[in-house]
Amino acid sequence: MAKLKISGPWAGVLDVELDNWTVPMLREEIARRSNCGVESINLISGGRILKDGDGSEKLSHLGLKNNSRILARRVSTEEGKALKDELMAEEERSTRLSRVKAAATALANRHANGFLPVEDFNIELEDQSGQKVNLGSETDQRAIMMGLMLHANAKQLIRKGNYKDALEVLIMGEEAFSLCNPKFIEFIDNVSILQIDMVWCYFMLKDIKWLSDAGLRLARAREGIERAHGKDSSRVRILQAGCHPELALHLRLELLEGVAAFHSCKFDKAREAINSAQAKYLQLQVSDEALSHVMDMGFKEREAKRALRMCHQDVCKAVDFLFEERAKRERKREDDIQRQEEIMEQKLYGMTPSKKAVNLQILKELASIGYEKELAAEALRRNENDIQKALDDLISPETNSVIQNAIESRKRKRQRKTEDDAVDKLVRMGFNRTRAEAAFEAGGSLEQALNILSETKTNSTVNGQPDSVTAALASDSASSSLSNIPENQEMFHTLDDEEGPSTGEEDRDSEMEDELARELDGASAISDYDMDVTKEGEAITEYLALLETTMNCEKA
């Protein structure tokens, strides 16, 4: 037994078993001795509130020891409930943030190293022109992918006004980018934009304690953007065919630089930065006439505004830009469909011993010289996509025969698995297993088996035994072939034998991973620059007024 020293509505020493007692048990005991409701008691130890959690965590696990001091604070029932709800909300928030980080880590691990995807998509890095790029080692690729996924998630939170959670996710993203070799990311602007987004969250949270940190981040952001975009954004202009997608980003950067300077009492610098931001803000305002012209071409208001902003209000250029964006989306959709088909084909072949997918490009080379595709794929799978070793196996009569036998064995296992699953479904529907097996063998598919069973069900005898028609069916079809069952119906199934390829999924948070994937799928080369500047306009007005007031006070 351990002794806890309690102070508050009830004061005294409480004997407890630290390895058995939980916070709810302790709260209930103190409430009983205080003659008040459980929800009106808050417990504080070592400057932190003791949370109930799931009610199973023991006091010893929370760091409480013999002679620990506990402050019991009595609050109103409503206040107690509100605090409990707040603690539960904070715990839920913490859990969600942990899930986001774990899901981003898992996705990056799977997609950066060529592992066979468990999803029907691949995550690949692209530059602003849409070309796929490989940056550094697998570790570098993984770090960049993880950073980009976390940044995309944070942007969604910023759009929803959830700046507190967005800041947490941006910090995770910054940590991910820091794991990459600096020479591979110094000429991309993603890290610099993340820095600006972090300071924007500071600003929207009105948290003055971040002031010194904000100045350092903005300085790094400006240096990184100038290096990535080129002098006067010339590199971006070339990549984006003369458009000005970066204008809103520079507006936000200059506004934040001005705000940081203002709160550091550098008023001249603040005025210069905010005036420059205001000029850019005015450039981004879209006239109703220009907007109407673009929308008359069949475009929605949001995309029309974005195009006009990026094209300096030039209607013709904006329309051309939108048609080109539409064509890019269509090409991307076609590429995605093709990639999904390729992934399904790779899943059919299974994983190499190191869990990589079969390289379809190498497979095409082998098929082009006359080897049967499935046979060549199995040879590549066994040899980690080494084309020379795969060729040696295909040329060798003994090894070739072994590979063919393995393929046929897996086909039979897939067919048996398909049959067993279908029969199990029929049994769950209430059919007799023997009759279900016979019907499936005769029909070759679940639908045909159901038709057969439905036709013969009314002819069954009273005692439930199969009639002569069903018995004959079972007898005549006992040796029938299942070759008409689609092979790929069970191509994602994990086989138990040592020879067979496995495409099984590990335990994963598919809900959170799908959310991160959707956020990436909706992004484009200009997504980082596509921002509503309404709040920036309000801030510009506010700080220009503050500067005016400060100047008048100095004169006085």
Side-chain angles (χ1 to χ4, degrees):
M1 297 289 285
K3 297 182 182 297
L4 296 180
K5 297 177 180 179
I6 313 297
S7 59
W10 178 83
V13 177
L14 197 61
D15 292 326
V16 301
E17 294 181 9
L18 295 176
D19 291 330
N20 293 327
W21 278 51
T22 63
V23 173
M25 292 169 63
L26 179 61
R27 190 193 313 279
E28 186 176 348
E29 180 61 23
I30 294 175
R32 184 183 66 79
R33 297 184 182 223
S34 305
N35 294 317
C36 60
V38 175
E39 291 181 340
S40 64
I41 292 292
N42 288 333
L43 303 177
I44 301 173
S45 176
R48 61 191 177 95
I49 297 175
L50 299 181
K51 302 177 183 179
D52 290 352
D54 61 4
S56 63
E57 193 169 16
K58 309 306 178 186
L59 296 180
S60 59
H61 297 158
L62 295 172
L64 296 183
K65 301 176 181 178
N66 187 37
N67 292 322
S68 289
R69 295 181 178 275
I70 304 290
L71 171 62
R73 178 170 170 263
R74 187 170 184 174
V75 297
S76 66
T77 302
E78 291 75 16
E79 187 179 349
K81 286 182 178 179
L83 181 59
K84 184 178 179 181
D85 291 343
E86 183 180 339
L87 291 174
M88 288 178 64
E90 180 62 26
E91 189 171 342
E92 183 180 341
R93 170 179 173 271
S94 177
T95 300
R96 188 188 184 284
L97 290 173
S98 298
R99 288 178 62 203
V100 168
K101 184 174 183 179
T105 303
L107 281 170
N109 285 339
R110 288 203 301 274
H111 289 267
N113 52 20
F115 281 2
L116 179 62
V118 297
E119 312 91 349
D120 62 350
F121 60 83
N122 252 6
I123 298 176
E124 298 172 317
L125 299 177
E126 295 180 350
D127 59 20
Q128 285 199 358
S129 62
Q131 298 298 312
K132 294 179 177 58
V133 293
N134 288 311
L135 297 175
S137 64
E138 286 184 4
T139 301
D140 296 322
Q141 294 269 108
R142 187 161 50 247
I144 293 174
M145 280 186 182
M146 186 174 174
L148 292 174
M149 280 186 277
L150 292 169
H151 195 184
N153 183 259
K155 285 178 179 296
Q156 289 294 329
L157 294 170
I158 289 173
R159 291 188 186 101
K160 295 174 183 176
N162 190 349
Y163 300 104
K164 183 179 180 182
D165 285 3
L167 184 57
E168 293 283 351
V169 178
L170 287 169
I171 291 171
M172 295 180 201
E174 183 181 39
E175 291 173 355
F177 280 126
S178 70
L179 300 176
C180 182
N181 188 328
K183 72 178 183 180
F184 292 121
I185 59 174
E186 65 179 2
F187 289 108
I188 61 176
D189 61 7
N190 303 86
V191 178
S192 299
I193 295 173
L194 182 141
Q195 299 287 333
I196 295 172
D197 286 340
M198 289 182 76
V199 180
W200 181 249
C201 288
Y202 297 164
F203 175 69
M204 296 306 295
L205 290 169
K206 307 296 182 186
D207 196 339
I208 197 68
K209 75 179 183 218
W210 294 106
L211 182 60
S212 60
D213 184 60
L216 293 173
R217 290 189 181 281
L218 291 172
R220 288 201 297 267
R222 177 168 286 283
E223 179 185 356
I225 285 177
E226 289 177 354
R227 183 172 57 242
H229 290 184
K231 186 177 181 180
D232 299 325
S233 300
S234 56
R235 190 174 293 118
V236 177
R237 205 84 67 250
I238 293 171
L239 288 170
Q240 297 300 330
C243 293
H244 299 257
E246 80 291 348
L247 199 59
L249 179 68
H250 282 268
L251 184 161
R252 180 176 286 183
L253 172 61
E254 291 177 351
L255 167 63
L256 292 173
E257 287 174 331
V259 170
F262 177 85
H263 289 289
S264 299
C265 298
K266 300 175 182 178
F267 300 122
D268 290 339
K269 183 178 179 181
R271 186 177 291 104
E272 180 184 356
I274 295 175
N275 281 335
S276 180
Q278 185 184 41
K280 290 179 174 60
Y281 176 77
L282 294 174
Q283 279 184 269
L284 290 169
Q285 300 311 298
V286 175
S287 71
D288 292 340
E289 183 181 1
L291 180 62
S292 176
H293 284 315
V294 178
M295 290 181 66
D296 286 343
M297 299 295 291
F299 297 102
K300 295 181 180 178
E301 180 179 352
R302 187 178 183 279
E303 60 182 346
K305 279 186 176 180
R306 181 184 67 169
L308 286 165
R309 285 170 177 164
M310 293 185 178
C311 297
H312 275 259
Q313 318 301 325
D314 187 314
V315 173
C316 292
K317 283 186 178 180
V319 171
D320 289 342
F321 171 84
L322 287 168
F323 277 121
E324 177 60 27
E325 285 294 297
R326 184 175 288 179
K328 285 180 181 178
R329 288 195 297 271
E330 181 59 28
R331 289 195 295 270
K332 182 179 182 301
R333 190 186 70 81
E334 292 173 355
D335 290 343
D336 288 345
I337 291 173
Q338 181 181 349
R339 184 59 190 132
Q340 286 174 359
E341 292 172 350
E342 290 174 348
I343 291 172
M344 291 187 71
E345 182 181 357
Q346 287 177 315
K347 287 184 176 182
L348 176 61
Y349 303 137
M351 296 184 290
T352 69
S354 63
K355 296 186 177 181
K356 300 291 181 70
V358 169
N359 187 309
L360 296 183
Q361 191 60 42
I362 300 176
L363 179 59
K364 287 179 182 177
E365 292 181 30
L366 290 176
S368 69
I369 58 177
Y371 287 105
E372 195 271 328
K373 207 169 186 181
E374 191 172 8
L375 186 67
E378 176 61 12
L380 286 171
R381 187 193 72 78
R382 290 172 173 237
N383 291 288
E384 292 288 356
N385 290 309
D386 187 316
I387 188 169
Q388 189 55 55
K389 290 182 179 179
L391 273 170
D392 291 343
D393 283 352
L394 292 169
I395 292 170
S396 168
E398 295 82 5
T399 312
N400 189 303
S401 178
V402 169
I403 293 175
Q404 289 193 49
N405 289 336
I407 292 172
E408 291 303 316
S409 174
R410 284 200 300 276
K411 285 182 180 179
R412 290 192 294 272
K413 288 186 178 183
R414 286 172 181 158
Q415 290 170 350
R416 285 198 299 272
K417 181 67 171 59
T418 301
E419 179 181 6
D420 290 343
D421 287 348
V423 169
D424 287 342
K425 288 179 181 178
L426 292 171
V427 171
R428 288 196 295 270
M429 293 178 189
F431 294 105
N432 174 274
R433 178 172 289 277
T434 302
R435 296 180 62 191
E437 290 173 350
F440 188 83
E441 288 189 16
S445 69
L446 182 62
E447 183 180 358
Q448 289 299 321
L450 273 172
N451 291 337
I452 293 170
L453 288 168
S454 299
E455 291 171 0
T456 60
K457 188 174 182 181
T458 55
N459 298 322
S460 296
T461 59
V462 176
N463 63 8
Q465 296 299 316
D467 63 9
S468 57
V469 175
T470 309
L473 171 66
S475 174
D476 293 341
S477 61
S479 61
S480 63
S481 170
L482 296 176
S483 59
N484 58 334
I485 301 172
E487 267 184 29
N488 63 351
Q489 189 169 337
E490 285 299 322
M491 66 184 178
F492 306 139
H493 177 63
T494 303
L495 301 175
D496 298 332
D497 65 307
E498 295 180 358
E499 297 177 348
S502 171
T503 56
E505 299 184 18
E506 69 272 28
D507 290 337
R508 65 189 189 96
D509 188 347
S510 56
E511 180 184 8
M512 185 56 69
E513 288 183 9
D514 289 345
E515 180 181 325
L516 293 178
R518 284 194 301 272
E519 290 166 352
L520 280 181
D521 189 47
S524 68
I526 57 173
S527 294
D528 283 333
Y529 315 118
D530 182 18
M531 56 182 72
D532 178 28
V533 293
T534 303
K535 286 185 171 60
E536 283 84 348
E538 294 170 355
I540 287 169
T541 302
E542 176 187 355
Y543 275 86
L544 285 176
L546 289 171
L547 284 166
E548 184 68 23
T549 302
T550 303
M551 186 174 67
N552 291 337
C553 289
E554 287 177 347
K555 288 180 179 179

